[in-house]
Amino acid sequence: MLTSIAGKSTIVTGGSKGIGKGIAKVFAAQGARIMIAARGEEAAKAAVAEIESAGGTAAYHLCDVADWDGVQGLIKATKDTYGSVDILCANAGIFPQIKMVDMSPEDWDGVMSTNLKSTFLCVKACIPEFEAQGKGRVVVTSSITGPVTGFPGWSHYGASKAGQLGFLKTAAMELSKYNTTINAVMPGNIYTEGLQDLGEDYLATMANSIPLKRLGAVEDIGNAALFFASDEAAYITGQQIVVDGGQILPESLEALEEI
Ligand code: NAP
């Protein structure tokens, strides 16, 4: 049992859908007060309603996490709503698949801005709050794609996700001054709304390539993030954890078939 995070003001960027919504629901179930950041209002509103109907506390703020003014507005809105910022889950991300031969410089910059620059902007904007609180927690959603594995069409995405891990090593040192930790969760293939369109057969094939024989649930990522945000993880910083059901372990197809 982890020490309670009840009442903690928690920003979850990209909390309106997929993994971010999973993180928001796991934290809200433990009593955290959630501020969802996203661009689209309909999904953000629906996510807040879902959390509230389960007895949780949530609000949303619309912004682009790649925009400095937008991120500063998010911090202000969170302070105005809850009085402080205790935890930042920097999770928002995009993964348009496009091979290098067709990729434009603008495609590259767009993914870098939304996935990597946003991580820096959100952490930077929270520093005064963590300093004022004398404590803070940051959990970044990276990926196995980039830091560990590759996938055609995701060179920009993989670079952005590996970049987040590079960022957090130095960020951990700088944030230690504010008694703040920063760690990353690296999801494997997680079952989100976006994957539903891929069809049963494709999903079954994906599940079969994972030793634990299932795609991850968004709550699997939420639970790992919850640990990093807890008091019990107070002495862990600058680290990352793979949450993938063993997906990166098999060294060959034969290895999988031997199970
Ligand atoms: P998703 O279902 O597409 O959700 C993405 C969330 O991010 C949405 O709430 C979206 O809301 C928000 N978002 C996107 N761009 C934004 C921007 N510029 N400003 C503010 N919010 C923005 O994606 P997901 O699969 O849950 O992925 C979430 C994170 O997990 C990403 O960082 C991704 O790299 C990582 N990840 C996912 C998987 C997986 O299997 N799903 C695996 C490894 C890592 P709006 O579009 O309304 O802004």
Side-chain angles (χ1 to χ4, degrees):
M1 186 66 188
L2 301 177
T3 307
S4 174
I5 60 158
K8 299 272 190 222
S9 164
T10 304
I11 293 174
V12 185
T13 70
S16 64
K17 295 178 199 158
I19 289 175
K21 190 162 83 175
I23 294 172
K25 285 166 74 176
V26 166
F27 277 58
Q30 299 298 321
R33 296 177 297 163
I34 308 297
M35 177 60 78
I36 287 171
R39 294 162 304 172
E41 184 154 30
E42 201 180 324
K45 219 180 230 176
V48 167
E50 213 176 303
I51 290 169
E52 287 179 340
S53 72
T57 303
Y60 68 84
H61 180 78
L62 300 181
C63 69
D64 180 348
V65 289
D67 176 69
W68 179 229
D69 289 343
V71 169
Q72 287 178 297
L74 167 64
I75 306 305
K76 184 177 180 314
T78 308
K79 275 176 63 182
D80 289 349
T81 308
Y82 298 133
S84 66
V85 180
D86 301 310
I87 301 167
L88 165 67
C89 295
N91 164 86
I94 53 170
F95 28 90
Q97 199 173 1
I98 180 162
K99 291 187 180 158
M100 278 190 290
V101 68
D102 298 317
M103 188 184 293
S104 68
E106 291 74 26
D107 292 331
W108 176 274
D109 287 345
V111 166
M112 285 295 163
S113 292
T114 301
N115 295 1
L116 182 55
K117 182 179 165 196
S118 70
T119 308
F120 153 65
L121 294 182
C122 291
V123 171
K124 178 179 169 61
C126 285
I127 288 176
E129 311 315 315
F130 296 152
E131 185 171 23
Q133 298 281 103
K135 181 182 175 182
R137 286 281 188 278
V138 181
V139 185
V140 174
T141 308
S142 173
S143 178
I144 58 169
T145 308
V148 185
T149 62
F151 203 107
W154 279 336
S155 61
H156 51 355
Y157 175 74
S160 73
K161 294 284 132 180
Q164 287 179 309
L165 301 186
F167 165 77
L168 78 77
K169 302 285 185 289
T170 293
M173 296 177 69
E174 294 186 15
L175 292 175
S176 66
K177 187 171 173 187
Y178 314 106
N179 190 28
T180 292
T181 67
I182 177 168
N183 295 287
V185 179
M186 299 160 69
N189 285 350
I190 307 302
Y191 187 72
T192 57
E193 299 95 316
L195 287 194
Q196 284 163 12
D197 302 339
L198 296 176
E200 289 294 313
D201 287 352
Y202 185 83
L203 293 174
T205 309
M206 277 168 82
N208 256 329
S209 70
I210 298 169
L212 285 176
K213 298 292 176 218
R214 68 171 176 88
L215 271 65
V218 292
E219 290 79 8
D220 291 319
I221 307 305
N223 288 327
L226 183 67
F227 172 65
F228 280 139
S230 72
D231 283 349
E232 282 76 4
Y235 204 53
I236 303 173
T237 194
Q239 300 304 309
Q240 60 237 19
I241 187 166
V242 171
V243 182
D244 73 341
Q247 185 177 343
I248 61 171
L249 298 177
E251 61 183 38
S252 65
L253 277 177
E254 286 71 24
L256 255 184
E257 284 158 11
E258 280 288 324
I259 293 174

